Structures are given as structure tokens and as C-alpha cells.
Amino acid sequence: MSSSYVPSPPSEAPVTLTRDALRILSLVDVSTAGRRVLDELLYLSDPDTGTAAISQNEMARELGASKPTVNRGFKELRECGLAWSLEDALYQLHPVLTDGKVAYPMPIPEIKASEPERFTEQRRARFAAQVANLAAAG
């Protein structure tokens, strides 16, 4: 039996992002699914620790997405350094997104953002790879 429970945010305070954080987000190449997962993690983030508590199943239900789509979103966030798992159903957001807040002292990954002049090149390469995958599958 599955639960339809989705956690509520730990605070009703608005989530604010600095201009630096917004600039970095604009240069990180994540899919729509990755961005939706990130937005939900930001919504659920604890203002004192920068963590968000939600399982991938709960995230899938909340977003109306498949579990594989949500898994890919989480994987993209981890690979680019924006969020990572601390334990089952508990995720740490990068301190640049949380005003420096972290659950406890830990190594912080570097955010893998593109240089603006390379971004369109990477986007074209990703699109070409996606089209090639569709052709191979079809």
C-alpha cells in the first residue's frame, strides 16, 4: 500500500535566491525534470540546514512524473553539484542556494556550470545525442 503523503515545507518563509545563485542556475545545463526536482527541493528546504526531506516516490507523486524521470532529475542535480543525498529521503542543497546553510560541516562539491560562450555548444551536442538516441530506439 502506498502513501499519498507529501511533506510540507518546514517554514512558510519565502525562499530567496541571490543574483549569484540565479546566474549559476542559468548556466547549469539540467533538463526540465532536473529543474522541477530542484524547485521542489527548494520549496521543501529547511531554512536552518538547507536540507529537503522527501522520498523519490513522494517527489514523483508531487510532480506527477514517473519515478525514472525523477531519478534522472536527482542524478542531474548530483552530477552538477546543486543537490546530493545525505541519507534516504534527505537531500542537501548547495550552500549557494541556501544562503550558506548546510546540515553539518561537509565537503561541498563545485557546481558544474557552463561558460556562457560554451553553453549553446553543449546544448546543441545534447540535442544531437537525444536525436541519435531516438533514431536508435525507433
Side-chain angles (χ1 to χ4, degrees), residues 22-105:
L22 292 170
R23 176 71 171 151
I24 288 169
L25 288 176
S26 73
L27 297 174
V28 174
D29 193 18
V30 295
S31 67
T32 302
R35 183 55 198 243
R36 290 181 67 208
V37 169
L38 177 62
D39 289 345
E40 188 68 15
L41 291 175
L42 285 166
Y43 167 74
L44 293 172
S45 66
D46 183 314
D48 297 324
T49 64
T51 60
I54 187 169
S55 73
Q56 290 192 13
N57 286 330
E58 291 166 338
M59 179 71 76
R61 281 192 297 275
E62 179 72 4
L63 298 179
S66 69
K67 189 168 178 189
T69 297
V70 167
N71 287 340
R72 279 192 305 275
F74 276 111
K75 180 181 178 195
E76 287 178 13
L77 296 178
R78 183 181 66 252
E79 287 175 351
C80 70
L82 290 174
W84 56 93
S85 178
L86 294 177
E87 59 187 58
D88 193 34
L90 183 65
Y91 299 90
Q92 177 70 59
L93 290 154
H94 194 284
V96 77
L97 302 175
T98 64
D99 197 27
K101 305 291 193 249
V102 291
Y104 49 82

Side-chain angles (χ1 to χ4, degrees), residues 104-120:
Y104 49 82
M106 67 183 81
I108 304 297
E110 181 179 334
I111 295 175
K112 293 173 182 72
S114 299
E115 295 297 322
E117 57 275 359
R118 291 192 58 227
F119 191 71
T120 55

